[in-house]
Amino acid sequence: FCSTVIMLGVLSRVASGTMHALVGGGTAMPVRTLTTRKETIMRLAKGFRGRSKNCWRLARDRVEKALQYAYVSRRLKKRDARKLWIMQISAGAKEHQMRYSELMHGVQL
């Protein structure tokens, strides 16, 4: 939960858009507007089913869980890529009558 709160604190500072303000001699300079934490959560909850996209408490809980799933899934994605990579290298090694471990040992020498 603590890491999610830190994440949400960072997300609350994300700029929502650009407005123009007249500065000095009348030139229009872009001014960033900061979004509130609630706006950020509701924007992240867009596309959720049922009341999870409209109700603040449900949206907050669902977004927090979604961020946890996203964190875990990034690591699972790397794990799956590594497994696939090892299988492909192993298949290539078997074409040359070698085992994966022998090939890796030879690479390290």
Side-chain angles (χ1 to χ4, degrees), residues 15-67:
S16 65
T18 306
M19 297 180 350
H20 292 283
L22 294 177
V23 180
T27 48
M29 297 290 291
V31 176
R32 294 258 181 212
T33 57
L34 295 178
T35 59
T36 63
R37 183 167 166 259
K38 196 168 192 172
E39 289 171 341
T40 306
I41 296 287
M42 295 309 281
R43 193 175 330 114
L44 288 172
K46 208 172 198 180
F48 287 0
R49 294 178 62 126
R51 290 190 307 155
S52 296
K53 65 178 171 283
N54 318 6
C55 297
W56 162 242
R57 285 185 184 178
L58 290 173
R60 183 189 61 203
D61 294 342
R62 293 310 309 148
V63 165
E64 181 180 338
K65 192 66 176 172
L67 290 173

Side-chain angles (χ1 to χ4, degrees), residues 3-4 7 64-78:
S3 62
T4 307
M7 254 192 217
E64 181 180 338
K65 192 66 176 172
L67 290 173
Q68 289 172 359
Y69 283 136
Y71 179 85
V72 169
S73 294
R74 284 194 296 272
R75 275 123 192 98
L76 291 175
K77 183 178 172 185
K78 291 174 181 72

